[in-house]
């Protein structure tokens, strides 16, 4: 029994010891936490007070330009093709053999140069026959005229003979009434008078027909002379000459070829009438047509054609517009006159800068100064201010720089506008216009930043 009691007491005191250990552990944790909180409170309470930091507004460096509204000509870019408005296709005027070819495709020819020759022998034979026919017709006409003159001369004699015959008949009728001659004698005289009247009437009819015979002979002579002129023309056609100054585009025959009337021989282009054909927008064509009707000169420049003088830029003048829109095109063809130049090649594609009629109160700005195609930003006391604009057209200056012409009633001379492409641009944004010297020393800025300049 004694041993059991001792064992029970040991268990009891062991449990009590474990309970005290658990309570001591929790009390130690609470004590440590309280000490940490107290220490933190002391640090905060005894630490220095920091002043609040103020954030400065960012200032964006941009390029700016001073605007000066002025009268300027918009520029329209168009592609055109060099051509001649007169290209002749020379064809054969007779049937003959090709005997000589003096030029080849691509050669330069002057007006009147003999390009090729045809065998003239057949044409010469036809000419001789026409000459003979003319001489025969002339002789026939002379013969008819001579007969007419003779008939006019004989007409008086026929009238005299008819008068004599009638007087004789009257005498014989008087004698017959007096029974001094027989009936047979009177009948003979009557027969003679009748024959003489018939001869006179026949001669008068022949005389009246001679003008018709003369007209017929003259017509035959005129026909023979036309045949002679045709034969002479055919003989001249044996030498094919250049109708104007230009270049041979194609040659379709060679020596020995037998060609017939109407056969194509060659093509030649007139280089005194060179032009550039360019398709222009329909809305621009109406404006240009009105300018031409008012006597205004519309010009264009090209940089793709090199002339014999070595100049790479030429000024062309608009000489007319097509009357309709061709199938497959969206614009109307405009024709720009090109100075004659033997070095140019037809069919060459050139880039035209067409100067349109002058627009008033416009400003030329770089493309990257325009936002959403309808606004730019004015700089007022280093703050951006959106300005709505109207795009009038494009403009390329003498240095080849591309600008956009804009107009706005809100812009006045001396206003400063931003010509940078700033993604964060908005009304009220703080900016700093940067000069060219500052740009050279500063870090890279936004694309499109340039020096402060004046834009007209």
């Amino acid at each position: 029994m004694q041993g059991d009691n001792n064992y029970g007491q040991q268990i009891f005191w062991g449990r009590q010891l474990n309970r005290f250990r658990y309570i001591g552990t929790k009390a130690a944790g609470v004590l440590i936490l309280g000490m940490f909180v107290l220490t933190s409170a002391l640090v905060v309470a005894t630490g220095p007070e920091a002043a609040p930091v103020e954030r400065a507004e960012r200032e964006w460096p941009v390029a700016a330009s001073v605007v000066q509204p002025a009268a300027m000509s918009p520029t329209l870019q168009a592609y055109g093709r060099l051509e001649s408005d007169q290209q002749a296709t020379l064809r054969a005027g007779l049937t003959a053999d090709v005997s000589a070819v003096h030029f080849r495709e691509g050669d330069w020819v002057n007006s009147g140069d003999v390009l090729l020759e045809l065998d003239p022998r057949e044409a010469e034979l036809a000419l001789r026959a026409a000459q003979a026919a003319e001489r025969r017709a002339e002789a026939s006409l002379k013969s008819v005229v001579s007969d007419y003159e003779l008939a006019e001369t004989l007409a008086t004699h026929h009238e005299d003979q008819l008068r004599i015959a009638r007087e004789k008949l009257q005498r014989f009728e008087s004698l017959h009434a007096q029974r001094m001659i027989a009936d047979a004698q009177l009948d003979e005289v009557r027969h003679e008078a009748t024959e003489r009247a018939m001869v006179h009437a026949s001669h008068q009819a022949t005389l009246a027909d001679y003008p018709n015979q003369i007209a017929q002979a003259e017509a035959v002579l005129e026909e023979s002379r036309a045949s002679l002129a045709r034969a002479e023309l055919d003989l001249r056609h044996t030498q094919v000459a250049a109708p104007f100054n230009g270049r041979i585009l194609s040659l379709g025959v060679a020596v020995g070829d037998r060609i017939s009337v109407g056969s194509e021989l060659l093509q030649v282009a007139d280089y005194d009438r060179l032009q550039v054909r360019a398709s222009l927008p329909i809305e621009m064509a109406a404006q240009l047509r009105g300018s031409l009707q008012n006597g205004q000169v519309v010009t264009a420049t090209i940089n793709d054609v090199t002339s014999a003088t070595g100049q790479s830029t030429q000024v062309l003048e608009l000489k007319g517009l097509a009357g309709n829109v061709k199938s497959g095109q969206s614009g109307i063809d405009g024709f720009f006159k090109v100075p004659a130049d033997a070095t140019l090649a037809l069919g060459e594609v050139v880039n035209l800068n067409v100067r349109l009629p002058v627009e008033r109160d416009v400003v030329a700005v770089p493309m990257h100064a325009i936002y959403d195609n309808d606004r730019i930003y004015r700089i007022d006391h280093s703050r951006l201010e959106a300005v709505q604009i109207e795009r009038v057209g494009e403009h390329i200056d003498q240095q080849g720089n591309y600008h956009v012409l804009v107009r706005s009633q809100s812009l006045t001379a001396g206003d400063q506008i931003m010509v940078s492409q700033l993604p964060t641009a908005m009304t009220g944004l703080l900016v700093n216009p940067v000069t060219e010297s500052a740009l050279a020393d500063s870090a890279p800025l936004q694309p499109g930043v340039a020096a402060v300049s004046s834009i007209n």
Side-chain angles (χ1 to χ4, degrees), residues 229 231-240:
E232 292 173 345
L233 183 61
D234 287 344
L235 184 60
R236 288 197 297 269
H237 282 168
T238 58
Q239 292 191 340
V240 181

Side-chain angles (χ1 to χ4, degrees), residues 292-307:
L292 292 178
Q293 292 176 351
N294 294 332
Q296 298 178 1
V297 178
V298 180
T299 60
T301 58
I302 53 176
N303 300 317
D304 300 83
V305 176
T306 303
S307 65

Side-chain angles (χ1 to χ4, degrees), residues 407-420:
R407 180 188 289 125
S408 176
Q409 296 181 353
S410 301
L411 288 178
T412 58
D415 283 352
Q416 193 177 48
I417 64 171
M418 181 178 66
V419 294
S420 300

Side-chain angles (χ1 to χ4, degrees), residues 393-404:
E394 303 171 349
H395 179 74
I396 298 178
D397 59 20
Q398 296 180 352
Q399 291 73 34
N401 299 319
Y402 175 85
H403 295 88
V404 179

Side-chain angles (χ1 to χ4, degrees), residues 331-392:
I332 292 181
D333 287 341
F335 307 101
F336 296 85
K337 182 174 178 56
V338 179
D341 193 334
T343 64
L344 302 180
L346 298 184
E348 182 177 354
V349 177
V350 297
N351 186 9
L352 280 175
N353 294 323
V354 184
R355 295 178 63 86
L356 301 176
V358 174
E359 295 285 348
R360 304 292 179 182
D361 297 327
V362 294
V363 177
V365 299
M367 185 67 185
H368 47 260
I370 301 177
Y371 292 79
D372 296 333
N373 291 324
D374 64 353
R375 71 177 184 276
I376 61 176
Y377 284 95
R378 175 169 48 200
I379 302 175
D380 185 14
H381 297 89
S382 299
R383 297 284 180 178
L384 294 184
E385 178 186 355
V387 176
Q388 296 297 121
I389 59 168
E390 172 195 357
R391 293 188 60 161
V392 178

Side-chain angles (χ1 to χ4, degrees), residues 3 54 67 92 99 112 120 149 166 191 209 238 246 257 274 283 317 343 359 391 397 402 412 419 427 435 437:
E54 295 183 0
V67 300
S99 60
E149 293 174 350
R166 287 176 176 174
H191 179 70
D209 187 57
T238 58
D257 285 347
L274 292 179
E283 59 273 12
E317 180 179 342
T343 64
E359 295 285 348
R391 293 188 60 161
D397 59 20
Y402 175 85
T412 58
V419 294
T427 298
T435 63
S437 58

Side-chain angles (χ1 to χ4, degrees), residues 417-434:
I417 64 171
M418 181 178 66
V419 294
S420 300
Q421 189 60 231
L422 188 62
T424 58
M426 66 178 66
T427 298
L429 186 67
L430 181 63
V431 295
N432 177 26
V434 181

Side-chain angles (χ1 to χ4, degrees), residues 277-339:
R277 179 193 294 264
S279 180
L280 305 176
I282 296 178
E283 59 273 12
M284 294 296 181
Q287 185 179 8
L288 294 176
R289 198 184 301 276
S291 299
L292 292 178
Q293 292 176 351
N294 294 332
Q296 298 178 1
V297 178
V298 180
T299 60
T301 58
I302 53 176
N303 300 317
D304 300 83
V305 176
T306 303
S307 65
T309 60
Q311 299 176 352
S312 60
T313 300
Q314 295 189 26
V315 178
L316 312 183
E317 180 179 342
L318 179 67
K319 63 178 184 178
L321 297 167
N324 63 331
V325 179
K326 291 184 173 58
S327 177
Q329 293 185 355
S330 59
I332 292 181
D333 287 341
F335 307 101
F336 296 85
K337 182 174 178 56
V338 179

